[in-house]
Amino acid sequence: MNKISLLGIPHDENSSYMRGAAGAPAPIRREFQSDAYSQWSETGVDLGTAGRIVDHGDIQFDSSCDPWDLIERSVGRALESGDPLICLGGDHAITHPIMRAVRRHHSNLTIVHIDAHADIYHAYQDNLRSHASPFARIMEERLVDRLIQVGIRTVNDHHREQFERFGVEVIEMSRWREDLRLDIKTPIYISLDMDGLDPAFAPGVSHREPGGPSTRQVINLIQSLDQPIVGADIVEYNPKCDVGGITATVAAKLLKEIAGMMVKTRG
């Protein structure tokens, strides 16, 4: 049986505007495990089968260790089984140390990054670890061969300079089509920022940016991927900003569909 690993990374110390994303793993798990919903993915995978999901719990942070080192080590341990891993953030800064660990297992790798924001500032508010900067660090360290950013709708001149510098492929939201398909030939890592969705569908984020895709459009894009999905993160859900738990439910749905596609593309 193909298994999926799950790891909570409750860290939001590099959020630039509002803290709260560190509280995300528990409500996402609660919605994912709720009897109110089916445990079957749309792709026909029963995620409720005993042993299908291997939950490694949440990383416990303390002042005795650099959080980046702890995230990298914890992700590395979770990957030792060879099973694909889904990380629940936390803010988007955590993707950088996650990718340090993931890269050791994959010599060829493409990130599909779904977001309202490019998160590729060289530094934001003088913070090189800002949640607005992880993809600058990832590309500087060559932790991925190809970065495809989808749904972006806050591009400025500095972002465009960074796109050119690192060879980033950007599909801004204004260019999203219903039949959007990505031509990828390597294993895939999905980095899904919940503010990538239109806030009408996911209001529980610190940086709401109207004009984004629907939940259905994001699911369709995920389900169109035809290479192995070897890892993923779901980040920037802020329970403090949610409305009636809507965003937790959406995050759990996206977790379910990513996991289902991990099984399907693994064969």
Side-chain angles (χ1 to χ4, degrees):
M1 178 176 64
N2 289 333
K3 298 178 180 180
I4 306 295
S5 290
L6 192 65
L7 177 67
I9 308 181
H11 194 275
D12 63 4
E13 291 182 6
N14 293 288
S15 295
S16 61
Y17 171 66
M18 181 188 300
R19 301 282 288 273
I28 295 175
R29 279 191 182 91
R30 183 172 61 247
E31 291 299 294
F32 178 68
Q33 297 165 354
S34 174
D35 290 340
Y37 315 110
S38 170
Q39 287 288 293
W40 285 77
S41 73
E42 293 183 7
T43 48
V45 177
D46 183 3
L47 298 168
T49 300
R52 174 75 78 184
I53 302 294
V54 180
D55 195 337
H56 296 268
D58 290 351
I59 296 175
Q60 301 299 310
F61 293 96
D62 61 56
S63 59
S64 67
C65 179
D66 182 340
W68 259 220
D69 291 340
L70 182 56
I71 292 170
E72 183 178 350
R73 289 201 307 269
S74 300
V75 171
R77 285 194 296 269
L79 290 171
E80 288 175 357
S81 66
D83 300 320
L85 171 67
I86 302 176
C87 295
L88 304 179
D91 66 27
H92 219 149
I94 66 171
T95 302
H96 174 213
I98 291 171
M99 294 309 302
R100 285 179 168 175
V102 171
R103 182 58 156 175
R104 290 197 294 271
H105 294 262
H106 300 284
S107 58
N108 295 293
L109 191 63
T110 297
I111 292 181
V112 175
H113 169 208
I114 302 168
D115 203 331
H117 314 96
D119 291 351
I120 202 165
Y121 281 100
H122 173 69
Y124 192 75
Q125 298 176 343
D126 296 322
N127 180 9
L128 289 169
R129 286 186 174 181
S130 170
H131 70 159
S133 300
F135 292 97
R137 306 289 84 78
I138 287 166
M139 299 306 285
E140 285 169 353
E141 295 180 20
R142 300 183 179 181
L143 300 178
V144 66
D145 302 284
R146 189 177 174 197
L147 173 58
I148 305 173
Q149 299 187 319
V150 186
I152 311 299
R153 47 195 187 275
T154 58
V155 177
N156 61 31
D157 287 346
H158 176 64
H159 293 143
R160 296 191 192 283
E161 291 170 0
Q162 294 286 80
F163 297 159
E164 184 174 356
R165 175 187 176 192
F166 295 120
V168 181
E169 300 166 57
V170 182
I171 302 172
E172 295 184 42
M173 189 61 214
S174 60
R175 294 168 48 212
W176 189 306
R177 306 183 311 274
E178 291 301 321
D179 61 346
L180 179 62
R181 296 292 185 273
L182 303 178
D183 184 12
I184 301 173
K185 304 300 184 186
T186 71
I188 296 168
Y189 182 95
I190 297 174
S191 187
L192 174 56
D193 187 317
M194 290 303 296
D195 70 34
L197 284 79
D198 191 282
F201 300 91
V205 295
S206 301
H207 301 267
R208 294 173 182 164
E209 189 65 38
S214 68
T215 307
R216 183 74 259 161
Q217 286 174 302
V218 172
I219 291 171
N220 287 348
L221 177 62
I222 292 167
Q223 292 178 345
S224 73
L225 301 174
D226 60 4
Q227 295 298 318
I229 301 171
V230 298
D233 59 61
I234 300 173
V235 296
E236 294 288 349
Y237 165 49
N238 188 339
K240 295 180 180 179
C241 300
D242 210 356
V243 179
I246 291 171
T247 313
T249 304
V250 171
K253 171 67 172 178
L254 294 169
L255 165 60
K256 188 185 306 180
E257 297 311 322
I258 291 171
M261 285 301 295
M262 284 176 162
V263 173
K264 180 179 178 179
T265 57
R266 198 174 184 185

